């Protein structure tokens, strides 16, 4: 069964900051879910035949001219609708209720009291719970046929329902983790109200996808640019299971990977590994180091790395000649971010395949992961037996260590940062911090200073350790690493890595810092 035929819930996006989060939470209930712009015509929604519709939050006020809206008929399709925040206000506004500016903005964790009416969303939940509120406007009068199901001290309608038509309005944000029981509330909506069976599973997805790829490509030739990252690795394994040796994976080692990473990729995907595919490793380290020699400007370094990547691929593309299909590891957030709501087929060109479509002659692009969120991609990867080291790895930028070495890049500096980084990662894992920190690594500052080692005076580099906790990578907090762990990392790095005599822990949040070091 393709994703189009799956039982699904659709999320209609009004521009709220949590739109993707809503869809992820629905998928966590094992229900397939897609995001569409509020501009999507009603006819198209009807054709999709969703089991339920969720309206997201949004930045506007429903009563302002030109505000994002929905037709009245959307609520008359006989399909259950859940409106969240702006979506709740819009439901009331469109159906004849009143929404006004609140005397005071309600923001943050708020105690919500559930009213003693029977509401399927609150089945089995306590009568009071902490919920996440973020609104300036409030529902001052319900639309006809609705009743209040919860309130707060400041907000008379924290939620409301019209049971007869299966319409539900929630002023707070059940999709945000700060809302206690948020997941249960959404689960009650999609499973109990909409009647979804909850059968969206990643092992089924993988099997269906392998079958679908096989049917689509026949005995066509497929080319995949493998970076060793999660998305391209999972895409490559799915394809190899579908077409075996008709798949060629090209892996460019630019010499800016983490310690032993190139060898790990080769162990997994190369001829000694478990998969049946053609694997080409291009050892282009020297080419990259030569092009980067003496360059200290961060933007120039990025540009050189990107360009050289394309040049290397150009050489390989000449050898490969015409292929039928080109693989891209596009995932659902790329689809949503490249044009609201998965309607647009804009392909975000990933750094590691940058420019490839222009170099190779091909018939069609295949994107086997374009319906999945990152955590779902990881589940598919684990199901396919890809080593955890690859599947669960933290984000690693395309330009690699090139943006973790301040100043010019040399093979010697790359080795220093690789060795220090490997120690830091080992110790973070040992301390169990790898489970919670979002991204952590060692970087090479361009600082050299006097130190003393034994009886010797040294003039060596300082390593900076960086570790952040973040949800969206747009802002980040520094990980609170216990002092004993930092001390052990410092001792090991200065003892085990040549040419390092100082270790710093960078405690700058983002902003004002960035996560990377360039
Ligand atoms: P910054 O340093 O901007 O990084 O705070 C935010 C996140 O983006 C990643 N990053 C990149 N990823 N190509 C990538 O694929 C890049 O050029 C790139 N630059 C930064 C960074 O690792 C962090 O997760």
């Amino acid at each position: 069964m393709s994703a189009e035929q799956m039982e699904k819930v659709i999320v209609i996006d009004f521009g709220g900051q949590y739109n993707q989060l809503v869809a992820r939470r629905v998928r966590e209930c094992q229900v397939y879910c897609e995001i569409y712009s509020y501009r999507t015509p009603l006819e198209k929604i009807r054709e999709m035949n969703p089991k339920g519709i969720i309206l997201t939050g949004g930045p506007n006020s429903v009563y302002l001219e030109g505000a994002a809206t929905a037709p009245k008929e959307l609520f008359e399709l006989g399909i259950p609708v859940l409106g969240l925040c702006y979506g709740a206000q819009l439901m009331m506004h469109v159906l004849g209720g009143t929404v006004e500016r609140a005397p005071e903005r309600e923001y943050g964790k708020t105690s919500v009291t559930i009213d003693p009416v029977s509401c399927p969303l609150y089945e089995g939940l306590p009568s009071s719970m902490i919920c996440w509120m973020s609104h300036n406007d409030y529902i001052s009068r319900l639309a006809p046929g609705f009743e209040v199901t919860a309130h707060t001290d400041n907000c008379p309608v924290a939620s409301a329902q019209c049971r007869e038509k299966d319409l539900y309005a929630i002023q707070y944000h059940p999709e945000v983790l700060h809302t206690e029981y948020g997941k249960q509330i959404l689960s009650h909506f999609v499973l109990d109200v909409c009647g979804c069976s909850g059968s969206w599973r990643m092992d089924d997805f993988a099997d269906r996808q392998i079958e679908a790829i096989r049917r689509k490509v026949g005995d066509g030739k497929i080319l995949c640019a493998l970076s060793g990252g999660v998305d391209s690795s999972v895409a490559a394994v799915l394809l190899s299971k579908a077409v075996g040796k008709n798949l060629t994976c090209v892996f460019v080692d630019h010499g800016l990977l983490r310690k032993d990473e190139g060898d790990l990729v080769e162990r997994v995907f190369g001829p000694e590994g478990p998969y049946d595919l053609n694997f080409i490793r291009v050892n282009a380290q020297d080419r990259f180091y030569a092009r980067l020699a003496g360059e200290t400007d961060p933007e120039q370094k990025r540009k050189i790395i990107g360009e050289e990547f394309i040049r290397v691929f150009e050489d390989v593309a000449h050898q490969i000649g015409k292929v039928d299909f080109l693989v891209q590891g596009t995932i659902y957030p790329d689809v949503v971010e490249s044009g609201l709501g998965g309607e647009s087929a804009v392909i975000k060109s990933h750094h590691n395949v940058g420019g490839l479509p222009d170099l190779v002659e091909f018939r069609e692009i295949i994107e086997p992961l374009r319906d999945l969120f990152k955590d779902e991609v990881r589940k598919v990867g684990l199901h396919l037996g890809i080593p955890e080291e690859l599947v669960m790895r933290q984000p690693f930028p395309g330009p690699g260590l090139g943006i973790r070495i301040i100043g010019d890049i040399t093979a010697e500096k790359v080795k220093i940062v690789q060795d220090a980084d490997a120690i830091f990662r080992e110790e973070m894992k040992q301390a169990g911090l790898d489970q919670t920190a979002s991204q952590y690594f060692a970087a090479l500052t361009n600082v050299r200073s006097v130190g003393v080692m034994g009886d010797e005076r040294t003039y060596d580099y300082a390593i900076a350790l960086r570790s952040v906790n973040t949800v969206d990578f747009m802002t980040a907090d520094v990980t609170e690493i216990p002092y004993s762990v930092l001390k052990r990392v410092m001792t090991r790095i200065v003892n085990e890595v040549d040419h390092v005599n100082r270790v710093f822990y960078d405690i700058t949040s983002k902003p004002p810092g960035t996560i990377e070091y360039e």
Side-chain angles (χ1 to χ4, degrees):
M1 206 186 327
S2 68
E4 292 90 68
Q5 297 160 319
M6 290 285 306
E7 136 188 306
K8 76 175 99 169
V9 164
I10 63 171
V11 170
I12 299 192
D13 182 10
F14 289 92
Q17 55 179 325
Y18 305 127
N19 60 5
Q20 290 195 31
L21 210 46
V22 176
R24 275 178 52 194
R25 294 280 172 260
V26 172
R27 298 241 191 135
E28 282 169 14
C29 302
Q30 259 97 45
V31 172
Y32 184 66
C33 177
E34 288 174 350
I35 304 172
Y36 289 92
S37 157
Y38 70 90
R39 294 189 181 90
T40 308
L42 187 68
E43 206 33 56
K44 190 169 170 203
I45 293 174
R46 205 196 308 264
E47 273 167 25
M48 286 187 258
N49 193 24
K51 300 277 280 187
I53 297 172
I54 302 180
L55 315 180
T56 73
N60 294 343
S61 288
V62 292
Y63 46 77
L64 293 182
E65 204 172 312
T69 190
K72 193 159 180 255
E73 294 76 25
L74 180 74
F75 304 97
E76 294 165 353
L77 294 171
I79 300 170
V81 183
L82 171 65
L84 305 177
C85 195
Y86 183 87
Q89 296 168 0
L90 186 68
M91 182 185 286
M92 290 304 143
H93 180 70
V94 169
L95 296 178
T98 309
V99 175
E100 294 178 72
R101 164 105 350 193
E104 255 176 73
R105 174 170 189 237
E106 198 176 33
Y107 181 81
K109 288 185 181 177
T110 310
S111 175
V112 169
T113 306
I114 312 303
D115 292 311
V117 291
S118 163
C119 172
L121 303 186
Y122 296 133
E123 192 64 44
L125 301 185
S127 58
S128 162
M129 54 179 88
I130 298 295
C131 298
W132 186 257
M133 285 285 192
S134 172
H135 62 118
N136 294 316
D137 292 344
Y138 79 115
I139 298 165
S140 56
R141 191 170 55 88
L142 290 175
F146 278 82
E147 62 183 336
V148 175
T149 53
H151 66 274
T152 73
D153 287 347
N154 294 320
C155 180
V157 185
S159 65
Q161 66 180 2
C162 171
R163 286 289 294 269
E164 195 196 328
K165 295 187 176 155
D166 265 334
L167 303 179
Y168 300 85
I170 298 184
Q171 180 59 69
Y172 55 88
H173 289 274
E175 70 276 24
V176 172
L177 287 178
H178 300 307
T179 296
E180 285 181 305
Y181 310 106
K183 191 164 172 208
Q184 285 92 324
I185 293 166
L186 287 172
S187 160
H188 279 318
F189 178 70
V190 294
L191 299 180
D192 304 336
V193 176
C194 303
C196 293
S197 60
S199 54
W200 169 249
R201 296 223 154 57
M202 286 306 106
D203 40 0
D204 296 346
F205 171 87
D207 298 343
R208 277 199 313 270
Q209 199 61 340
I210 290 169
E211 212 25 67
I213 294 169
R214 217 174 262 152
R215 272 200 309 275
K216 178 177 181 143
V217 304
D219 54 7
K221 299 270 179 268
I222 307 178
L223 176 64
C224 174
L226 190 65
S227 68
V230 182
D231 305 338
S232 67
S233 298
V234 174
V237 172
L238 264 181
L239 283 153
S240 88
K241 299 239 176 209
V243 304
K245 281 275 189 308
N246 278 340
L247 170 69
T248 299
C249 287
V250 177
F251 167 58
V252 174
D253 187 340
H254 53 18
L256 300 165
L257 297 168
R258 288 172 290 194
K259 189 174 182 176
D260 299 331
E261 200 161 40
D263 296 341
L264 170 66
V265 174
E266 181 164 354
R267 252 199 328 277
V268 174
F269 292 98
E272 309 297 320
Y275 305 113
D276 187 27
L277 50 85
N278 294 308
F279 176 78
I280 301 176
R281 175 175 179 171
V282 188
N283 286 314
Q285 294 89 333
D286 294 342
R287 272 178 79 157
F288 280 86
Y289 296 158
R291 278 289 317 277
L292 286 164
E295 184 58 64
T296 56
D297 179 69
E299 272 313 304
Q300 279 304 322
K301 289 196 289 186
R302 276 175 176 273
K303 212 165 145 224
I304 291 171
I305 296 167
E307 280 173 5
E308 198 55 23
F309 227 98
I310 293 183
R311 295 289 82 78
V312 172
F313 259 115
E314 202 164 29
D315 294 351
V316 183
H318 282 142
Q319 294 163 26
I320 292 178
K322 187 174 179 309
V323 293
D324 299 291
F325 300 91
L326 194 62
V327 181
Q328 288 207 332
T330 315
I331 65 172
Y332 197 53
D334 302 329
V335 175
V336 175
E337 282 155 24
S338 63
L340 261 191
E343 301 151 286
S344 133
V346 178
I347 295 149
K348 181 169 153 184
S349 78
H350 291 225
H351 168 88
N352 288 345
V353 258
L356 193 54
D358 300 330
L359 300 175
V360 187
E361 232 188 290
F362 67 99
R363 211 164 76 212
E364 206 179 326
I365 286 186
I366 309 187
E367 298 170 296
L369 307 173
R370 65 175 284 133
D371 291 329
L372 304 188
F373 284 108
K374 193 82 173 187
D375 48 332
E376 294 176 316
V377 175
R378 292 191 208 274
K379 279 189 197 146
V380 172
L382 291 175
H383 169 70
L384 293 170
I386 307 175
E388 258 192 69
E389 266 174 290
L390 276 183
V391 174
M392 301 311 286
R393 71 178 224 169
Q394 48 172 308
F396 185 66
L401 301 181
I403 55 173
R404 292 182 183 171
I405 293 173
I406 297 176
D408 67 325
I409 295 172
T410 62
E412 185 202 26
K413 287 183 181 175
V414 170
K415 167 105 175 59
I416 293 173
V417 81
Q418 280 178 335
D419 289 345
D421 181 67
I423 291 170
F424 185 37
R425 283 191 291 136
E426 231 174 87
E427 292 298 334
M428 287 289 278
K429 187 161 186 192
Q430 190 70 26
L433 289 162
D434 61 323
Q435 303 292 319
T436 48
S438 313
Q439 195 170 1
Y440 52 94
F441 55 86
L444 191 67
T445 69
N446 207 18
V447 171
R448 291 176 81 192
S449 63
V450 173
V452 56
M453 197 71 123
D455 293 331
E456 300 262 319
R457 178 183 180 280
T458 57
Y459 186 62
D460 278 330
Y461 287 105
I463 281 283
L465 306 175
R466 185 88 170 121
S467 178
V468 293
N469 290 42
T470 171
V471 177
D472 55 11
F473 294 86
M474 310 285 281
T475 61
D477 291 324
V478 172
T479 310
E480 291 189 20
I481 302 179
Y483 184 66
S484 56
V485 178
L486 286 172
K487 200 165 155 186
R488 197 160 46 246
V489 176
M490 178 278 294
T491 308
R492 283 196 57 196
I493 290 179
V494 292
N495 283 326
E496 297 173 35
V497 184
D498 287 341
H499 305 300
V500 177
N501 63 2
R502 283 177 205 270
V503 177
F504 304 142
Y505 183 43
D506 183 347
I507 58 163
T508 320
S509 59
K510 174 183 178 178
T514 57
I515 296 173
E516 295 295 348
Y517 245 79
E518 54 190 319

